[in-house]
Amino acid sequence: MKRKVIVFVIFVGICCLLIWFFERWLSLEQLIVHESWLRGQVDEHPWRSCLLGFVIYLAASLIPGTGCKSIVYGWIFGLAAGMGIAVPALTIAATISFCFSRYVLCDAIHQRLGHYVAHIDRALQRDGAFYLFAMRVVHFPYTLTNYAMGATKIRVRSFVWATLLGLVPGSFVFAYAGSQLPTLHALAERGVFGVVSLHLVLALALLGIAPIAIRILMRRLGLIDTPTQPS
């Protein structure tokens, strides 16, 4: 009973601390100030900002569960620069995970995901690196794909080009959606309905529909048979 009380008190304390933090540092006015400063830095120092953004994107891509970063980068840097950062960073991070899997974790992955890896190996023998390309296009789980591919027989060079090309469609959709989002200043000034435009609606529609549509199309064409994810 005493342990539960201590846990409850700690939980309440953390909640109060988070509420204070959000009220102090993450009010809408503060967020607008931070956003304006960030956009000013990008405008004044584009190459340095892109390089720093690339490093941050690369590091975040090595952490599982950090998806949809391309939306944020499209919002901050625009469509072209956002994609220019996202695709290479994702490819490099994927290659690092792939090599770590192949040269360090290969035996452990075969023990844990042996059936899954065997399925991918058979598909690679049938379709070659195009199978990986198709998995990237249909947005199959990024981290799981990287580590599973490291335990297969695919060559590093084939992994790199299939990943690079396969990430382009999805990164474009996410970066485009981000590039059409309004700034916080515009949102605060005009309200939610005041910033709605045809381009924004199209971007949000693409964000939801494109991955599903591509997956259905490629399955009907027989170009990919995505394996069941392991439990």
Side-chain angles (χ1 to χ4, degrees):
M1 182 67 181
K2 186 180 295 185
R3 184 178 178 182
K4 292 183 178 179
V5 171
I6 294 174
V7 172
F8 177 74
V9 171
I10 293 175
F11 175 76
V12 172
I14 292 174
C15 289
C16 293
L17 182 63
L18 289 175
I19 291 173
W20 174 84
F21 177 80
F22 281 114
E23 287 183 347
R24 176 66 179 82
W25 297 105
L26 292 182
S27 65
L28 181 57
E29 291 77 12
Q30 287 293 329
L31 288 175
I32 291 175
V33 171
H34 295 323
E35 182 204 4
S36 299
W37 176 85
L38 181 60
R39 292 185 182 278
Q41 291 297 307
V42 172
D43 291 338
E44 293 176 14
H45 311 285
W47 289 106
R48 186 175 69 183
S49 300
C50 287
L51 179 60
L52 179 60
F54 177 84
V55 173
I56 294 173
Y57 201 111
L58 174 59
S61 299
L62 294 170
I63 304 173
T66 56
C68 301
K69 299 179 294 297
S70 300
I71 296 179
V72 178
Y73 273 63
W75 181 61
I76 295 174
F77 292 97
L79 175 59
M83 277 196 66
I85 294 172
V87 175
L90 284 170
T91 303
I92 294 173
T95 305
I96 293 173
S97 300
F98 171 87
C99 292
F100 184 70
S101 169
R102 170 157 296 181
Y103 301 115
V104 179
L105 301 177
C106 189
D107 292 338
I109 291 176
H110 272 289
Q111 291 177 2
R112 177 67 177 88
L113 307 173
H115 175 73
Y116 180 70
V117 172
H119 179 102
I120 296 178
D121 255 330
R122 289 193 297 269
L124 289 171
Q125 290 176 3
R126 183 185 69 236
D127 300 324
F130 181 78
Y131 183 76
L132 172 59
F133 168 80
M135 290 179 71
R136 297 298 191 188
V137 170
V138 301
H139 214 62
F140 203 73
Y142 174 80
T143 302
L144 177 61
T145 301
N146 297 336
Y147 283 100
M149 283 291 169
T152 67
K153 299 176 183 178
I154 188 173
R155 293 183 299 177
V156 177
R157 182 175 61 185
S158 298
F159 176 86
V160 172
W161 74 254
T163 295
L164 178 65
L165 297 180
L167 288 172
V168 170
S171 297
F172 171 81
V173 171
F174 283 107
Y176 175 74
S179 69
Q180 298 304 313
L181 293 176
T183 64
L184 294 179
H185 178 74
L187 187 62
E189 191 175 63
R190 291 183 282 168
V192 175
F193 295 103
V195 297
V196 173
S197 66
L198 179 60
H199 291 292
L200 178 59
V201 173
L202 176 61
L204 295 177
L206 279 175
L207 195 60
I209 296 174
I212 300 174
I214 292 174
R215 185 184 293 261
I216 293 174
L217 176 62
M218 297 193 77
R219 278 182 174 174
R220 288 193 174 182
L221 293 175
L223 298 178
I224 188 172
D225 177 22
T226 51
T228 303
Q229 296 183 46
S231 58

Short mmCIF file of all heavy atoms in Angstrom, two decimals, residues 45-110:
data_model
loop_
_atom_site.label_atom_id
_atom_site.label_comp_id
_atom_site.label_asym_id
_atom_site.label_seq_id
_atom_site.Cartn_x
_atom_site.Cartn_y
_atom_site.Cartn_z
N HIS A 45 21.10 31.13 -42.70
CA HIS A 45 22.21 30.16 -42.81
C HIS A 45 21.67 28.85 -43.39
O HIS A 45 21.60 27.84 -42.68
CB HIS A 45 22.84 29.92 -41.45
CG HIS A 45 23.18 31.16 -40.69
ND1 HIS A 45 24.26 31.95 -41.03
CD2 HIS A 45 22.57 31.76 -39.63
CE1 HIS A 45 24.32 32.98 -40.19
NE2 HIS A 45 23.31 32.88 -39.34
N PRO A 46 21.28 28.85 -44.65
CA PRO A 46 20.62 27.65 -45.21
C PRO A 46 21.49 26.41 -45.21
O PRO A 46 21.02 25.32 -44.86
CB PRO A 46 20.27 28.09 -46.64
CG PRO A 46 21.18 29.24 -46.94
CD PRO A 46 21.40 29.93 -45.64
N TRP A 47 22.76 26.54 -45.59
CA TRP A 47 23.61 25.35 -45.68
C TRP A 47 23.93 24.80 -44.30
O TRP A 47 23.90 23.58 -44.09
CB TRP A 47 24.92 25.69 -46.42
CG TRP A 47 24.71 25.92 -47.88
CD1 TRP A 47 24.73 27.11 -48.54
CD2 TRP A 47 24.40 24.91 -48.87
NE1 TRP A 47 24.47 26.93 -49.87
CE2 TRP A 47 24.27 25.59 -50.11
CE3 TRP A 47 24.24 23.53 -48.82
CZ2 TRP A 47 23.97 24.91 -51.29
CZ3 TRP A 47 23.95 22.86 -50.01
CH2 TRP A 47 23.81 23.55 -51.21
N ARG A 48 24.22 25.68 -43.36
CA ARG A 48 24.51 25.22 -42.00
C ARG A 48 23.27 24.60 -41.37
O ARG A 48 23.36 23.57 -40.68
CB ARG A 48 25.01 26.39 -41.14
CG ARG A 48 25.48 25.98 -39.75
CD ARG A 48 26.06 27.15 -39.01
NE ARG A 48 25.04 28.13 -38.65
CZ ARG A 48 25.28 29.28 -38.05
NH1 ARG A 48 26.54 29.63 -37.78
NH2 ARG A 48 24.31 30.11 -37.74
N SER A 49 22.13 25.20 -41.63
CA SER A 49 20.88 24.67 -41.08
C SER A 49 20.55 23.30 -41.66
O SER A 49 20.14 22.39 -40.95
CB SER A 49 19.73 25.64 -41.36
OG SER A 49 19.96 26.90 -40.77
N CYS A 50 20.76 23.16 -42.98
CA CYS A 50 20.50 21.87 -43.63
C CYS A 50 21.45 20.79 -43.12
O CYS A 50 21.05 19.64 -42.91
CB CYS A 50 20.60 22.00 -45.14
SG CYS A 50 19.22 22.89 -45.91
N LEU A 51 22.71 21.17 -42.91
CA LEU A 51 23.70 20.20 -42.40
C LEU A 51 23.34 19.75 -41.00
O LEU A 51 23.36 18.55 -40.68
CB LEU A 51 25.09 20.82 -42.42
CG LEU A 51 26.23 19.92 -41.90
CD1 LEU A 51 26.33 18.65 -42.74
CD2 LEU A 51 27.54 20.67 -41.91
N LEU A 52 22.99 20.70 -40.15
CA LEU A 52 22.58 20.37 -38.79
C LEU A 52 21.30 19.53 -38.80
O LEU A 52 21.17 18.56 -38.06
CB LEU A 52 22.38 21.64 -37.97
CG LEU A 52 21.93 21.45 -36.51
CD1 LEU A 52 22.95 20.62 -35.75
CD2 LEU A 52 21.70 22.80 -35.85
N GLY A 53 20.37 19.94 -39.67
CA GLY A 53 19.12 19.18 -39.80
C GLY A 53 19.37 17.76 -40.27
O GLY A 53 18.72 16.81 -39.82
N PHE A 54 20.34 17.61 -41.18
CA PHE A 54 20.69 16.28 -41.68
C PHE A 54 21.23 15.40 -40.55
O PHE A 54 20.85 14.23 -40.42
CB PHE A 54 21.74 16.40 -42.79
CG PHE A 54 22.24 15.10 -43.32
CD1 PHE A 54 21.54 14.42 -44.30
CD2 PHE A 54 23.41 14.53 -42.82
CE1 PHE A 54 22.00 13.20 -44.78
CE2 PHE A 54 23.87 13.32 -43.29
CZ PHE A 54 23.16 12.65 -44.27
N VAL A 55 22.12 15.95 -39.73
CA VAL A 55 22.71 15.19 -38.62
C VAL A 55 21.63 14.77 -37.63
O VAL A 55 21.59 13.61 -37.16
CB VAL A 55 23.80 16.02 -37.92
CG1 VAL A 55 24.29 15.31 -36.66
CG2 VAL A 55 24.96 16.28 -38.86
N ILE A 56 20.72 15.69 -37.31
CA ILE A 56 19.64 15.38 -36.38
C ILE A 56 18.72 14.31 -36.96
O ILE A 56 18.32 13.36 -36.27
CB ILE A 56 18.84 16.66 -36.04
CG1 ILE A 56 19.72 17.64 -35.26
CG2 ILE A 56 17.59 16.32 -35.24
CD1 ILE A 56 19.08 18.99 -35.03
N TYR A 57 18.40 14.44 -38.25
CA TYR A 57 17.52 13.48 -38.90
C TYR A 57 18.17 12.10 -38.91
O TYR A 57 17.51 11.08 -38.65
CB TYR A 57 17.21 13.94 -40.33
CG TYR A 57 15.98 13.33 -40.93
CD1 TYR A 57 14.85 14.11 -41.18
CD2 TYR A 57 15.92 11.98 -41.25
CE1 TYR A 57 13.70 13.56 -41.72
CE2 TYR A 57 14.77 11.42 -41.79
CZ TYR A 57 13.67 12.21 -42.03
OH TYR A 57 12.54 11.66 -42.55
N LEU A 58 19.45 12.05 -39.23
CA LEU A 58 20.19 10.79 -39.28
C LEU A 58 20.19 10.11 -37.91
O LEU A 58 19.92 8.91 -37.79
CB LEU A 58 21.61 11.03 -39.75
CG LEU A 58 22.58 9.84 -39.74
CD1 LEU A 58 22.05 8.72 -40.61
CD2 LEU A 58 23.96 10.27 -40.20
N ALA A 59 20.48 10.89 -36.86
CA ALA A 59 20.52 10.33 -35.51
C ALA A 59 19.14 9.84 -35.08
O ALA A 59 19.01 8.75 -34.51
CB ALA A 59 21.04 11.38 -34.53
N ALA A 60 18.11 10.62 -35.39
CA ALA A 60 16.75 10.22 -35.01
C ALA A 60 16.29 8.98 -35.76
O ALA A 60 15.53 8.16 -35.23
CB ALA A 60 15.78 11.37 -35.25
N SER A 61 16.77 8.81 -37.00
CA SER A 61 16.37 7.65 -37.81
C SER A 61 16.93 6.35 -37.28
O SER A 61 16.45 5.28 -37.64
CB SER A 61 16.82 7.85 -39.26
OG SER A 61 16.20 9.00 -39.83
N LEU A 62 17.96 6.42 -36.43
CA LEU A 62 18.53 5.23 -35.83
C LEU A 62 17.73 4.77 -34.61
O LEU A 62 17.99 3.70 -34.06
CB LEU A 62 19.98 5.48 -35.42
CG LEU A 62 20.96 5.71 -36.58
CD1 LEU A 62 22.30 6.19 -36.05
CD2 LEU A 62 21.12 4.45 -37.41
N ILE A 63 16.78 5.60 -34.18
CA ILE A 63 15.96 5.28 -33.01
C ILE A 63 14.60 4.78 -33.48
O ILE A 63 13.90 5.48 -34.21
CB ILE A 63 15.76 6.52 -32.13
CG1 ILE A 63 17.11 7.10 -31.71
CG2 ILE A 63 14.91 6.19 -30.91
CD1 ILE A 63 17.01 8.42 -30.98
N PRO A 64 14.21 3.55 -33.12
CA PRO A 64 12.90 3.03 -33.55
C PRO A 64 11.75 3.90 -33.04
O PRO A 64 11.81 4.49 -31.95
CB PRO A 64 12.85 1.63 -32.89
CG PRO A 64 14.29 1.28 -32.65
CD PRO A 64 14.99 2.57 -32.34
N GLY A 65 10.71 4.00 -33.86
CA GLY A 65 9.52 4.72 -33.45
C GLY A 65 9.57 6.21 -33.65
O GLY A 65 8.77 6.95 -33.06
N THR A 66 10.49 6.70 -34.49
CA THR A 66 10.58 8.15 -34.73
C THR A 66 10.19 8.45 -36.18
O THR A 66 10.93 9.11 -36.90
CB THR A 66 12.00 8.66 -34.45
OG1 THR A 66 12.95 7.92 -35.25
CG2 THR A 66 12.37 8.49 -32.99
N GLY A 67 9.05 7.96 -36.59
CA GLY A 67 8.60 8.17 -37.96
C GLY A 67 7.99 9.55 -38.18
O GLY A 67 7.88 10.36 -37.26
N CYS A 68 7.63 9.82 -39.42
CA CYS A 68 6.95 11.07 -39.81
C CYS A 68 7.82 12.31 -39.64
O CYS A 68 7.31 13.43 -39.58
CB CYS A 68 5.63 11.25 -39.07
SG CYS A 68 4.45 9.91 -39.33
N LYS A 69 9.12 12.13 -39.55
CA LYS A 69 10.01 13.30 -39.43
C LYS A 69 9.98 14.14 -40.70
O LYS A 69 10.20 15.35 -40.64
CB LYS A 69 11.44 12.84 -39.15
CG LYS A 69 11.61 12.04 -37.87
CD LYS A 69 13.05 11.60 -37.66
CE LYS A 69 13.51 10.61 -38.69
NZ LYS A 69 12.77 9.33 -38.66
N SER A 70 9.72 13.51 -41.84
CA SER A 70 9.71 14.24 -43.11
C SER A 70 8.63 15.32 -43.13
O SER A 70 8.78 16.33 -43.82
CB SER A 70 9.50 13.27 -44.28
OG SER A 70 10.52 12.31 -44.33
N ILE A 71 7.55 15.11 -42.38
CA ILE A 71 6.51 16.13 -42.31
C ILE A 71 7.06 17.40 -41.65
O ILE A 71 6.87 18.51 -42.15
CB ILE A 71 5.29 15.61 -41.51
CG1 ILE A 71 4.65 14.43 -42.24
CG2 ILE A 71 4.27 16.72 -41.31
CD1 ILE A 71 3.47 13.84 -41.52
N VAL A 72 7.76 17.21 -40.54
CA VAL A 72 8.34 18.34 -39.82
C VAL A 72 9.38 19.05 -40.69
O VAL A 72 9.43 20.29 -40.75
CB VAL A 72 8.97 17.87 -38.50
CG1 VAL A 72 9.63 19.05 -37.78
CG2 VAL A 72 7.92 17.22 -37.62
N TYR A 73 10.21 18.27 -41.38
CA TYR A 73 11.26 18.86 -42.21
C TYR A 73 10.66 19.57 -43.43
O TYR A 73 11.20 20.58 -43.88
CB TYR A 73 12.26 17.79 -42.63
CG TYR A 73 13.35 17.61 -41.60
CD1 TYR A 73 13.05 17.17 -40.32
CD2 TYR A 73 14.67 17.89 -41.89
CE1 TYR A 73 14.03 17.01 -39.35
CE2 TYR A 73 15.68 17.74 -40.95
CZ TYR A 73 15.35 17.30 -39.67
OH TYR A 73 16.33 17.16 -38.72
N GLY A 74 9.59 19.02 -43.99
CA GLY A 74 8.91 19.70 -45.07
C GLY A 74 8.30 21.02 -44.60
O GLY A 74 8.31 22.02 -45.33
N TRP A 75 7.82 21.04 -43.37
CA TRP A 75 7.22 22.25 -42.78
C TRP A 75 8.28 23.32 -42.54
O TRP A 75 8.05 24.50 -42.79
CB TRP A 75 6.54 21.86 -41.46
CG TRP A 75 5.87 22.97 -40.74
CD1 TRP A 75 4.83 23.74 -41.20
CD2 TRP A 75 6.15 23.44 -39.42
NE1 TRP A 75 4.45 24.66 -40.25
CE2 TRP A 75 5.25 24.49 -39.14
CE3 TRP A 75 7.07 23.06 -38.45
CZ2 TRP A 75 5.24 25.17 -37.93
CZ3 TRP A 75 7.07 23.73 -37.23
CH2 TRP A 75 6.16 24.78 -36.98
N ILE A 76 9.47 22.90 -42.09
CA ILE A 76 10.52 23.87 -41.77
C ILE A 76 11.35 24.25 -42.99
O ILE A 76 11.59 25.44 -43.25
CB ILE A 76 11.46 23.29 -40.68
CG1 ILE A 76 10.69 23.09 -39.38
CG2 ILE A 76 12.66 24.21 -40.46
CD1 ILE A 76 11.49 22.38 -38.30
N PHE A 77 11.77 23.25 -43.78
CA PHE A 77 12.72 23.51 -44.88
C PHE A 77 12.05 23.63 -46.24
O PHE A 77 12.69 24.10 -47.19
CB PHE A 77 13.75 22.37 -44.94
CG PHE A 77 14.69 22.34 -43.78
CD1 PHE A 77 14.45 21.49 -42.71
CD2 PHE A 77 15.82 23.14 -43.75
CE1 PHE A 77 15.32 21.43 -41.63
CE2 PHE A 77 16.70 23.10 -42.68
CZ PHE A 77 16.45 22.24 -41.61
N GLY A 78 10.80 23.18 -46.39
CA GLY A 78 10.17 23.16 -47.69
C GLY A 78 10.31 21.79 -48.34
O GLY A 78 11.05 20.93 -47.87
N LEU A 79 9.61 21.60 -49.45
CA LEU A 79 9.56 20.30 -50.10
C LEU A 79 10.92 19.83 -50.59
O LEU A 79 11.37 18.72 -50.25
CB LEU A 79 8.57 20.34 -51.27
CG LEU A 79 8.48 19.07 -52.13
CD1 LEU A 79 8.09 17.87 -51.28
CD2 LEU A 79 7.49 19.28 -53.27
N ALA A 80 11.62 20.63 -51.39
CA ALA A 80 12.87 20.20 -52.00
C ALA A 80 13.95 19.93 -50.95
O ALA A 80 14.58 18.86 -50.94
CB ALA A 80 13.35 21.25 -53.00
N ALA A 81 14.19 20.88 -50.06
CA ALA A 81 15.22 20.71 -49.04
C ALA A 81 14.83 19.61 -48.05
O ALA A 81 15.68 18.85 -47.60
CB ALA A 81 15.45 22.02 -48.30
N GLY A 82 13.54 19.53 -47.73
CA GLY A 82 13.08 18.49 -46.81
C GLY A 82 13.36 17.10 -47.36
O GLY A 82 13.86 16.22 -46.65
N MET A 83 13.06 16.90 -48.65
CA MET A 83 13.36 15.61 -49.28
C MET A 83 14.87 15.41 -49.42
O MET A 83 15.37 14.29 -49.25
CB MET A 83 12.71 15.53 -50.67
CG MET A 83 11.26 15.12 -50.65
SD MET A 83 10.73 14.62 -52.30
CE MET A 83 11.71 13.15 -52.55
N GLY A 84 15.59 16.48 -49.73
CA GLY A 84 17.03 16.39 -49.88
C GLY A 84 17.73 15.97 -48.60
O GLY A 84 18.82 15.39 -48.62
N ILE A 85 17.12 16.28 -47.47
CA ILE A 85 17.66 15.85 -46.18
C ILE A 85 17.15 14.45 -45.82
O ILE A 85 17.92 13.58 -45.41
CB ILE A 85 17.27 16.84 -45.07
CG1 ILE A 85 17.95 18.20 -45.31
CG2 ILE A 85 17.62 16.29 -43.70
CD1 ILE A 85 17.47 19.29 -44.37
N ALA A 86 15.86 14.23 -46.00
CA ALA A 86 15.23 13.01 -45.51
C ALA A 86 15.73 11.75 -46.20
O ALA A 86 16.10 10.78 -45.54
CB ALA A 86 13.71 13.13 -45.65
N VAL A 87 15.74 11.75 -47.52
CA VAL A 87 16.06 10.52 -48.26
C VAL A 87 17.49 10.05 -48.00
O VAL A 87 17.72 8.89 -47.65
CB VAL A 87 15.79 10.70 -49.76
CG1 VAL A 87 16.23 9.46 -50.53
CG2 VAL A 87 14.30 10.94 -50.00
N PRO A 88 18.52 10.92 -48.14
CA PRO A 88 19.88 10.46 -47.84
C PRO A 88 20.07 10.06 -46.38
O PRO A 88 20.75 9.07 -46.09
CB PRO A 88 20.76 11.66 -48.19
CG PRO A 88 19.94 12.48 -49.13
CD PRO A 88 18.53 12.29 -48.69
N ALA A 89 19.48 10.83 -45.45
CA ALA A 89 19.63 10.51 -44.03
C ALA A 89 19.00 9.16 -43.71
O ALA A 89 19.58 8.35 -42.97
CB ALA A 89 19.02 11.62 -43.18
N LEU A 90 17.82 8.91 -44.23
CA LEU A 90 17.15 7.63 -44.01
C LEU A 90 17.94 6.48 -44.61
O LEU A 90 18.05 5.41 -44.02
CB LEU A 90 15.75 7.66 -44.61
CG LEU A 90 14.67 8.43 -43.84
CD1 LEU A 90 13.41 8.58 -44.68
CD2 LEU A 90 14.35 7.73 -42.52
N THR A 91 18.51 6.72 -45.79
CA THR A 91 19.30 5.67 -46.45
C THR A 91 20.55 5.34 -45.66
O THR A 91 20.89 4.16 -45.48
CB THR A 91 19.67 6.11 -47.88
OG1 THR A 91 18.47 6.41 -48.61
CG2 THR A 91 20.42 5.00 -48.60
N ILE A 92 21.26 6.36 -45.20
CA ILE A 92 22.47 6.12 -44.42
C ILE A 92 22.15 5.43 -43.10
O ILE A 92 22.83 4.48 -42.69
CB ILE A 92 23.21 7.45 -44.16
CG1 ILE A 92 23.74 8.02 -45.49
CG2 ILE A 92 24.37 7.25 -43.18
CD1 ILE A 92 24.34 9.40 -45.36
N ALA A 93 21.09 5.90 -42.41
CA ALA A 93 20.69 5.27 -41.15
C ALA A 93 20.29 3.81 -41.37
O ALA A 93 20.63 2.93 -40.57
CB ALA A 93 19.54 6.05 -40.51
N ALA A 94 19.57 3.56 -42.47
CA ALA A 94 19.17 2.19 -42.78
C ALA A 94 20.39 1.31 -43.04
O ALA A 94 20.45 0.15 -42.60
CB ALA A 94 18.25 2.18 -44.00
N THR A 95 21.39 1.85 -43.74
CA THR A 95 22.60 1.09 -44.03
C THR A 95 23.39 0.79 -42.77
O THR A 95 23.95 -0.30 -42.61
CB THR A 95 23.48 1.85 -45.03
OG1 THR A 95 22.70 2.16 -46.21
CG2 THR A 95 24.69 1.03 -45.45
N ILE A 96 23.45 1.75 -41.85
CA ILE A 96 24.13 1.52 -40.57
C ILE A 96 23.44 0.40 -39.79
O ILE A 96 24.09 -0.52 -39.27
CB ILE A 96 24.15 2.82 -39.73
CG1 ILE A 96 25.04 3.87 -40.40
CG2 ILE A 96 24.63 2.54 -38.31
CD1 ILE A 96 24.99 5.23 -39.74
N SER A 97 22.10 0.45 -39.72
CA SER A 97 21.35 -0.60 -39.02
C SER A 97 21.53 -1.94 -39.71
O SER A 97 21.68 -2.98 -39.06
CB SER A 97 19.87 -0.23 -38.98
OG SER A 97 19.66 0.98 -38.29
N PHE A 98 21.51 -1.93 -41.04
CA PHE A 98 21.70 -3.14 -41.83
C PHE A 98 23.05 -3.78 -41.53
O PHE A 98 23.14 -5.00 -41.28
CB PHE A 98 21.59 -2.78 -43.32
CG PHE A 98 21.95 -3.88 -44.26
CD1 PHE A 98 21.02 -4.82 -44.66
CD2 PHE A 98 23.24 -3.97 -44.78
CE1 PHE A 98 21.35 -5.83 -45.56
CE2 PHE A 98 23.60 -4.98 -45.67
CZ PHE A 98 22.65 -5.91 -46.06
N CYS A 99 24.12 -2.99 -41.55
CA CYS A 99 25.46 -3.52 -41.29
C CYS A 99 25.61 -3.99 -39.85
O CYS A 99 26.26 -5.02 -39.59
CB CYS A 99 26.51 -2.46 -41.61
SG CYS A 99 26.64 -2.06 -43.38
N PHE A 100 25.01 -3.28 -38.92
CA PHE A 100 25.06 -3.70 -37.52
C PHE A 100 24.35 -5.04 -37.36
O PHE A 100 24.82 -5.92 -36.63
CB PHE A 100 24.41 -2.64 -36.64
CG PHE A 100 24.49 -2.94 -35.17
CD1 PHE A 100 25.70 -2.88 -34.50
CD2 PHE A 100 23.35 -3.28 -34.46
CE1 PHE A 100 25.78 -3.15 -33.15
CE2 PHE A 100 23.42 -3.55 -33.10
CZ PHE A 100 24.64 -3.50 -32.44
N SER A 101 23.23 -5.19 -38.04
CA SER A 101 22.50 -6.45 -38.00
C SER A 101 23.32 -7.58 -38.61
O SER A 101 23.42 -8.67 -38.04
CB SER A 101 21.18 -6.31 -38.75
OG SER A 101 20.56 -7.57 -38.94
N ARG A 102 23.92 -7.33 -39.76
CA ARG A 102 24.66 -8.38 -40.48
C ARG A 102 25.92 -8.82 -39.74
O ARG A 102 26.21 -10.01 -39.66
CB ARG A 102 25.01 -7.90 -41.89
CG ARG A 102 25.98 -8.82 -42.62
CD ARG A 102 25.87 -8.67 -44.12
NE ARG A 102 24.55 -9.08 -44.61
CZ ARG A 102 24.21 -9.06 -45.90
NH1 ARG A 102 25.07 -8.64 -46.81
NH2 ARG A 102 23.00 -9.44 -46.27
N TYR A 103 26.66 -7.89 -39.20
CA TYR A 103 27.98 -8.22 -38.65
C TYR A 103 28.00 -8.38 -37.13
O TYR A 103 29.00 -8.82 -36.59
CB TYR A 103 28.99 -7.16 -39.08
CG TYR A 103 29.11 -7.05 -40.58
CD1 TYR A 103 28.72 -5.89 -41.25
CD2 TYR A 103 29.57 -8.12 -41.35
CE1 TYR A 103 28.81 -5.79 -42.63
CE2 TYR A 103 29.67 -8.03 -42.72
CZ TYR A 103 29.29 -6.86 -43.37
OH TYR A 103 29.36 -6.78 -44.74
N VAL A 104 26.90 -8.01 -36.46
CA VAL A 104 26.87 -8.12 -35.00
C VAL A 104 25.70 -8.97 -34.50
O VAL A 104 25.87 -9.84 -33.64
CB VAL A 104 26.81 -6.71 -34.35
CG1 VAL A 104 26.75 -6.83 -32.82
CG2 VAL A 104 28.01 -5.88 -34.77
N LEU A 105 24.50 -8.72 -35.04
CA LEU A 105 23.29 -9.34 -34.51
C LEU A 105 22.73 -10.47 -35.36
O LEU A 105 21.63 -10.94 -35.09
CB LEU A 105 22.20 -8.27 -34.34
CG LEU A 105 22.52 -7.09 -33.42
CD1 LEU A 105 21.37 -6.11 -33.43
CD2 LEU A 105 22.80 -7.57 -32.01
N CYS A 106 23.46 -10.90 -36.38
CA CYS A 106 22.90 -11.84 -37.35
C CYS A 106 22.39 -13.13 -36.70
O CYS A 106 21.27 -13.57 -36.95
CB CYS A 106 23.96 -12.18 -38.40
SG CYS A 106 23.30 -13.13 -39.78
N ASP A 107 23.18 -13.73 -35.83
CA ASP A 107 22.77 -14.98 -35.19
C ASP A 107 21.55 -14.78 -34.31
O ASP A 107 20.61 -15.60 -34.32
CB ASP A 107 23.93 -15.55 -34.35
CG ASP A 107 25.09 -16.01 -35.22
OD1 ASP A 107 24.86 -16.28 -36.41
OD2 ASP A 107 26.22 -16.08 -34.70
N ALA A 108 21.53 -13.70 -33.55
CA ALA A 108 20.39 -13.43 -32.67
C ALA A 108 19.12 -13.20 -33.47
O ALA A 108 18.03 -13.65 -33.09
CB ALA A 108 20.69 -12.22 -31.79
N ILE A 109 19.23 -12.50 -34.61
CA ILE A 109 18.05 -12.25 -35.44
C ILE A 109 17.54 -13.54 -36.05
O ILE A 109 16.33 -13.77 -36.13
CB ILE A 109 18.39 -11.21 -36.53
CG1 ILE A 109 18.61 -9.84 -35.89
CG2 ILE A 109 17.28 -11.13 -37.58
CD1 ILE A 109 19.04 -8.77 -36.85
N HIS A 110 18.43 -14.42 -36.47
CA HIS A 110 18.00 -15.71 -37.01
C HIS A 110 17.27 -16.54 -35.94
O HIS A 110 16.30 -17.24 -36.26
CB HIS A 110 19.20 -16.48 -37.56
CG HIS A 110 19.51 -16.17 -38.98
ND1 HIS A 110 18.72 -16.58 -40.03
CD2 HIS A 110 20.53 -15.45 -39.54
CE1 HIS A 110 19.23 -16.16 -41.17
NE2 HIS A 110 20.32 -15.47 -40.91
#
